[in-house]
Amino acid sequence: MKTIKFEVSNNIATITMNRPEALNALNNDFFSDMELLLSNIREDNEIRILVITGEGKAFVAGADIAEMVSMNKAEAEKFSSRGQDVFLGLEKLNMPVIAAVNGYALGGGCELAMACDIRIASSKAKFGQPEVSLGLIPGFGGTQRLPRLVGLGNALNLLLTADQISADEALRIGLVQKVTEPEQLMDEVYKLAERILSKGPHSVSLIKKVAHIGLELDFAKATRLESREFGSLFGNEGTEGMKAFLEKRKPEW
Ligand code: CAA
């Protein structure tokens, strides 16, 4: 693949954006690589957690400005939709996706991190939506995911000013879940992945599904969906987990 390194070990897949000379800026080659990878990951029963990180000093410094500059309106709209579809594909994967944000997560990079389920950041990471400085708006879901994650006031403050914020500030507003020393980032992320891997595999993927789908439904419908999926775990994984608790042993998933 032209833009991505991909490894799988112990049920954990890692995508590393690998165009450090352009701070891993997102171009059409990247989306082609991701489309292929996502369809392979969906078919691979061994993979139960996906980690996404970047090579070099950036996670991703945005959509590729050099590629976008010559686009016309229709091409730009198509590029935006393509990015949105790939990021939705991540959100809909039946496994947790963890962003290990190693450095700059700007524009499309912040949007990619937000399409992941959990964000762990190096203390060197920087977050922001600088599109407004380019006379643009975010095109990969940023106007929608940022308000949902940090509230409208915090989101508009970032979107309208293009300010870059530190990892600690991102933690304060709820954009990331944890900040680590740069050299501990991947250890922390893999430790988190291992903890999730030890839980009931079906409950893990159902929690992700119900939480994401429920956000798009009204409360009554969302809680009905929760009941349905709660019930689906009885007679199999849930029953085993409860029996294991009562019998004071480890569950056999
Ligand atoms: N697109 C294309 N190339 C990029 C890029 C981007 N988003 N960001 C960085 N690069 C390239 C630079 O042009 C430079 O290339 P050359 O060596 O060939 O000149 C190389 O990466 C290194 O970058 P800098 O020299 O600028 O590195 P720096 O450390 O001085 O600055 C930075 C780092 C503050 C992140 C700066 O690169 C920067 O501001 N980048 C652009 C950030 C941005 O505006 N992102 C939003 C893009 S629009 C978007 O994402 C829209 C959308 O939602 C669809």
Side-chain angles (χ1 to χ4, degrees):
M1 266 170 300
K2 281 190 188 159
T3 66
I4 287 173
K5 270 192 298 186
F6 183 65
E7 295 152 293
V8 183
S9 169
N10 302 326
N11 304 112
I12 303 169
T14 304
I15 285 178
T16 307
M17 274 83 68
N18 192 24
R19 239 172 30 106
E21 67 286 359
L23 305 189
N24 303 320
L26 305 180
N27 58 12
N28 273 302
D29 283 343
F30 168 80
F31 290 125
S32 299
D33 288 345
M34 280 295 280
E35 283 157 1
L36 178 67
L37 265 182
L38 286 176
S39 84
N40 291 345
I41 290 170
R42 279 186 213 105
E43 301 295 306
D44 188 332
N45 292 331
E46 290 302 301
I47 300 175
R48 288 174 43 209
I49 304 237
L50 177 60
V51 170
I52 303 189
T53 192
E55 185 66 41
K57 70 177 177 184
F59 178 70
V60 165
D64 191 327
I65 300 168
E67 193 171 272
M68 286 192 298
V69 68
S70 55
M71 289 179 185
N72 62 30
K73 286 184 179 23
E75 288 164 340
E77 186 175 339
K78 196 169 157 208
F79 184 61
S80 161
S81 304
R82 189 179 193 193
Q84 289 172 358
D85 287 349
V86 166
F87 289 7
L88 263 179
L90 279 174
E91 210 167 81
K92 288 191 171 152
L93 273 184
N94 67 347
M95 66 188 72
V97 182
I98 307 174
V101 185
N102 52 300
Y104 290 112
L106 302 177
C110 190
E111 293 171 294
L112 172 57
M114 290 191 288
C116 299
D117 299 307
I118 301 175
R119 285 154 292 283
I120 310 295
S122 149
S123 57
K124 284 194 178 155
K126 297 257 186 261
F127 295 81
Q129 296 288 164
E131 289 86 350
V132 71
S133 296
L134 300 168
L136 297 174
I137 68 171
F140 301 150
T143 59
Q144 303 309 306
R145 286 198 179 88
L146 195 56
R148 283 167 170 78
L149 284 173
V150 302
L152 193 55
N154 284 323
L156 288 176
N157 188 33
L158 286 175
L159 290 162
L160 296 175
T161 61
D163 282 353
Q164 277 184 28
I165 59 168
S166 66
D168 283 337
E169 179 64 2
L171 181 67
R172 193 188 69 77
I173 65 173
L175 182 54
V176 303
Q177 283 59 64
K178 188 167 187 176
V179 177
T180 74
E181 290 306 313
E183 53 285 356
Q184 280 157 17
L185 176 66
M186 295 316 288
D187 277 357
E188 286 285 340
V189 165
Y190 288 127
K191 256 193 253 165
L192 170 64
E194 294 290 344
R195 277 174 49 216
I196 297 173
L197 275 178
S198 71
K199 312 298 182 199
H202 291 297
S203 8
V204 165
S205 74
L206 282 178
I207 283 168
K208 169 169 175 170
K209 178 180 143 186
V210 172
H212 278 293
I213 295 180
L215 276 180
E216 307 304 322
L217 300 176
D218 70 45
F219 192 80
K221 284 195 179 120
T223 47
R224 290 314 301 160
L225 173 68
E226 183 186 74
S227 302
R228 223 171 25 251
E229 298 300 10
F230 178 77
S232 78
L233 291 161
F234 284 68
N236 48 59
E237 186 176 288
T239 307
E240 164 59 12
M242 291 184 287
K243 274 188 182 163
F245 171 80
L246 295 172
E247 293 164 12
K248 303 190 189 307
R249 60 173 174 82
K250 277 199 165 167
E252 286 174 30
W253 308 121

